[in-house]
Amino acid sequence: MFKKLFGGNKSVEEQFVAPLTGKVVSLDDVPDPVFSQRMMGNGVAVEPTDGKVVSPIAGEVVQVFPTKHAVGIKTKSGVEVLVHIGLETVSMEGEGFEGHVSAGDRVRPGDPLITFDMDLVNEKAKSTTTPVIITNFDEVVEHFEPSYNETATAGETGIMTVKTK
């Protein structure tokens, strides 16, 4: 009510870029129900062609999982995004993953987040497909526009546009 009366947070449009080079696909195509059924939130996924993960948006790193298979970033407007490298990669216990950021770091689109060994992930995990999820989607997103692309370039190609409430 306070926001409505006194004009609090204004709606913001956030442009996300690909965190990896590869093919941008719908979450419907992710072979894991946690992501395909949007249990953690909505977004897109990238089928990567290399193991370099960069920030898809400007914000603050709020979490780097101890196993380095996922990183969470919060934007200035309050959108929380999770980049989850591969499927069932937590079981690798960090093997083949190297983090380049820590919680509290400020990042811009294209800044290095994590590198990983694609061959090792292909060997030991279910998939290298990397969901990019807005974990607080229902609370903050008014409009969501995914951009699927056969050949996205990390840090450059737009993958989704989000308008906040």
Side-chain angles (χ1 to χ4, degrees):
M1 183 68 168
F2 183 84
K3 280 186 193 177
K4 287 182 181 175
L5 290 174
F6 299 102
N9 295 344
K10 295 212 185 304
S11 179
V12 176
E13 193 169 276
E14 301 268 20
Q15 303 283 337
F16 290 77
V17 296
L20 296 133
T21 296
K23 181 179 178 181
V24 181
V25 300
S26 168
L27 288 182
D28 295 334
D29 299 336
V30 176
D32 184 322
V34 169
F35 298 110
S36 64
Q37 294 176 18
R38 294 162 176 77
M39 293 178 198
M40 294 184 69
N42 204 348
V44 299
V46 180
E47 296 173 353
T49 55
D50 68 32
K52 296 179 187 128
V53 183
V54 301
S55 181
I57 195 88
E60 179 182 345
V61 175
V62 290
Q63 182 175 22
V64 178
F65 286 68
T67 51
K68 311 285 189 264
H69 76 286
V71 61
I73 299 168
K74 185 174 185 175
T75 71
K76 191 174 180 179
S77 68
V79 176
E80 296 173 5
V81 64
L82 174 71
V83 179
H84 190 285
I85 303 162
L87 304 176
E88 298 182 14
T89 44
V90 69
S91 63
M92 294 176 65
E93 299 179 346
E95 182 186 5
F97 293 86
E98 182 181 350
H100 304 293
V101 291
S102 302
D105 289 354
R106 309 267 333 144
V107 292
R108 293 181 312 226
D111 286 354
L113 297 177
I114 296 170
T115 49
F116 67 99
D117 183 330
M118 286 249 321
D119 293 334
L120 194 63
V121 172
N122 273 320
E123 177 190 325
K124 295 195 170 195
K126 185 175 182 180
S127 172
T128 57
T129 298
T130 299
V132 183
I133 305 294
I134 298 166
T135 56
N136 61 344
F137 190 91
D138 292 339
E139 294 88 53
V140 300
V141 177
E142 179 180 298
H143 181 73
F144 171 72
E145 183 86 28
S147 297
Y148 306 117
N149 194 312
E150 289 287 321
T151 55
T153 302
E156 295 178 18
T157 307
I159 59 167
M160 60 184 166
T161 302
V162 171
K163 186 175 179 187
T164 62
K165 294 181 180 177

